[in-house]
Amino acid sequence: MTDSALYTKTGDAGQTYLGTGRRVPKTNGSLEVLGNIDELSSAIGLAKASLPSSEISLSEELSQVQEQLLRLKEDLQSFGVQHALKPEDVDHLEHWIDAYAPCATAKDPKQIPGKTKVSASLDMARSVARRMERSLGKAGLPNALHQRYANRLSDYFYAAARYMEVKTDLSPSGTIEVQEDGPHRQKKLTLKLAKALLESVEMVAKDRGLRLVMAACDEAGRPIAVHVMDDAFIASFDIAVNKAWTAVALKMPTKDLVELCKPGGSLYGLQFTNDGKVVIFGGGVPLKDENGVIIGGFGVSGSTAEIDTKMGDIGEEIFKQLYQEGRVQW
């Protein structure tokens, strides 16, 4: 039998080499940590493969986490010589966690994984992340940054899993619509287009003597850009951002929620969920591509409900014009 590049036979006796060149048993604590990191990256890969293609932002986040884990491995294999993992990696995790916080306001000790395939895979990644964190401590390897990163990582997976469950609950069919790859692949609302939209609506508002706040968010409800006109109400900032989020989260204009959320309505009480982020009066609209797929949301606040509703509709029409004129940069 010829030798293969895929196996060396040097570990047949139950030993292998550390990054320092020292030969140790495969049960060594350092190797257990590295193995847990490999397993976690594989679990993340499974979660990415389970995502609908519309979840572009979450997929990109998970890829970044896999890259962070590679840097963590470099640090551990060098035994403190390298510092590939950076404090910014922890900052990124905290930013993402904060974005998902409305869907996971508190950890439920009775949370049972399996509500959706995607959330279950993210919960699995969280469990492996916890094991990795414990093995770091037992092996005596982590520095303060590694400990913070490992602790924050499991929180990230928990928040992301709850976010995917909420998105499923808000889907009219009870499932997340999967967009197939190919010529109709999901597009993204870029900063360039968001700014063009907000600037155009701002011009209309100025002509009408209005002082508004306008916000645009991506397909996951995360803000992309916010314009605050001079002398606009302070309260209008959060309201505009939340209107854009609501339009994406519920896949409908916020004006349609007025009747649905009245006492006796089919969605009565919805406005009290998600830490009060759900806005049930006009001014928020989903933004769609040529295939009717939601790629973002627009929200406006600062005047009466009727005027905000009208300006929201104007924002939607302006977006369609920008799209048809080819000013969309994907």
Side-chain angles (χ1 to χ4, degrees), residues 171-201:
S171 171
S173 63
T175 60
I176 298 174
E177 293 80 3
V178 177
Q179 302 300 321
E180 297 297 333
D181 291 335
H184 300 305
R185 181 174 57 83
Q186 168 81 32
K187 298 182 177 68
K188 294 180 66 175
L189 177 62
T190 62
L191 176 61
K192 183 175 182 179
L193 176 58
K195 290 171 66 175
L197 170 61
L198 300 187
E199 289 168 358
S200 298
V201 176

Side-chain angles (χ1 to χ4, degrees), residues 211-263:
R211 297 169 294 180
L212 306 177
V213 177
M214 295 142 288
C217 69
D218 65 16
E219 78 284 355
R222 291 183 284 263
I224 295 177
V226 181
H227 276 207
V228 181
M229 298 181 68
D230 294 341
D231 298 322
F233 294 125
I234 295 175
S236 295
F237 186 97
D238 286 341
I239 296 173
V241 171
N242 289 342
K243 284 182 180 180
W245 178 86
T246 301
V248 170
L250 297 178
K251 303 181 181 181
M252 66 174 70
T254 55
K255 65 182 180 182
D256 293 349
L257 293 169
V258 177
E259 294 298 323
L260 293 173
C261 292
K262 285 183 177 179

Side-chain angles (χ1 to χ4, degrees), residues 33-64:
V33 175
L34 298 176
N36 285 333
I37 293 175
D38 285 340
E39 184 178 347
L40 176 55
S41 185
S42 297
I44 295 172
L46 181 62
K48 285 199 307 183
S50 302
L51 284 173
S53 58
S54 58
E55 286 297 329
I56 297 174
S57 295
L58 180 53
S59 180
E60 291 176 347
E61 290 174 10
L62 293 175
S63 293
Q64 288 187 52

Side-chain angles (χ1 to χ4, degrees), residues 129 158 183 190 203 244 280:
Y158 179 88
T190 62
M203 291 177 59
I280 62 169

